[in-house]
Amino acid sequence: MDEIEVRELRPEDEAGVARLFAACEDYFVAATGVPALPADVQSLYYALPEGAAPDQKRLLVLCRGADDVVGLVDVVDRWPDVGSCSVGVFLVAPEARRQGVGAGVARRLIEEAAGRGMRTVVATCPGGWEPGLGFLRSLGFEIGGPEGQAGETVGNRTRHPGEKGLRTARLTTAER
């Protein structure tokens, strides 16, 4: 596996994130019933659950080399409580999947969150998206049953009308 840099999303990364969204059409169709739209990149900046402050939002890109965006993580720290963080989206480009990229980055981020006092990580995954469910299980997440309705808060965002059968996954981090 090549070295993956994880850093905050910068405006100049938006084109790479748009390409990532287009490449991950399989995920978006499984999650929402439709492919991602170009405006979905901009909406990342504004998607917050009710009660969360903008400074809690972290948009991270996974890069191979200087500008090759191969993944994205959308997380809200200290939400829904100070001991938790919620992941809205964790995407890995199809060409980087099954190479340990996602698992390696996820483990680093979980360890970082635990080091900052967060004892619970919450994520969501479409109920029929076996690659995502398997990924979460491999990291030790407990997968809950399908839940929720359109318009409800899920993970760290509002549920899209096309999202059906989302599963909530929870991980209790190790004490540091």
Side-chain angles (χ1 to χ4, degrees):
M1 174 181 86
D2 297 334
E3 185 60 33
I4 299 295
E5 177 188 7
V6 179
R7 61 173 169 72
E8 298 288 331
L9 174 70
R10 301 185 294 231
E12 59 267 23
D13 296 322
E14 290 178 16
V17 173
R19 285 189 297 277
L20 174 69
F21 278 22
C24 293
E25 180 178 326
D26 55 348
Y27 166 78
F28 286 101
V29 169
T32 67
V34 296
L37 300 171
D40 290 336
V41 175
Q42 284 295 311
S43 71
L44 286 170
Y45 293 102
Y46 309 107
L48 276 171
E50 191 172 327
D55 66 349
Q56 291 173 268
K57 176 85 162 194
R58 295 181 70 201
L59 295 172
L60 306 171
V61 288
L62 287 56
C63 296
R64 229 183 224 150
D67 299 313
D68 185 17
V69 176
V70 297
L72 174 95
V73 181
D74 171 8
V75 65
V76 176
D77 282 338
R78 307 201 182 288
W79 195 88
D81 57 60
V82 297
S84 301
C85 65
S86 296
V87 179
V89 175
F90 191 114
L91 287 178
V92 176
E95 70 273 9
R97 293 176 187 166
R98 291 174 284 289
Q99 296 177 18
V101 170
V105 168
R107 286 186 184 103
R108 285 191 302 200
L109 294 175
I110 290 166
E111 187 173 309
E112 175 192 312
R116 291 185 294 122
M118 288 175 250
R119 299 293 168 241
T120 305
V121 179
V122 179
T124 56
C125 185
W129 182 245
E130 284 306 318
L133 294 170
F135 173 72
L136 290 167
R137 285 186 194 104
S138 77
L139 294 169
F141 280 80
E142 292 182 25
I143 312 292
E147 55 191 67
Q149 302 294 321
E152 291 179 338
T153 298
V154 50
N156 67 4
R157 59 190 173 69
T158 301
R159 186 183 302 269
H160 180 278
E163 293 177 301
K164 294 177 177 43
L166 282 182
R167 312 273 302 268
T168 298
R170 284 184 168 62
L171 174 73
T172 302
T173 63
E175 294 291 326
R176 301 276 175 238

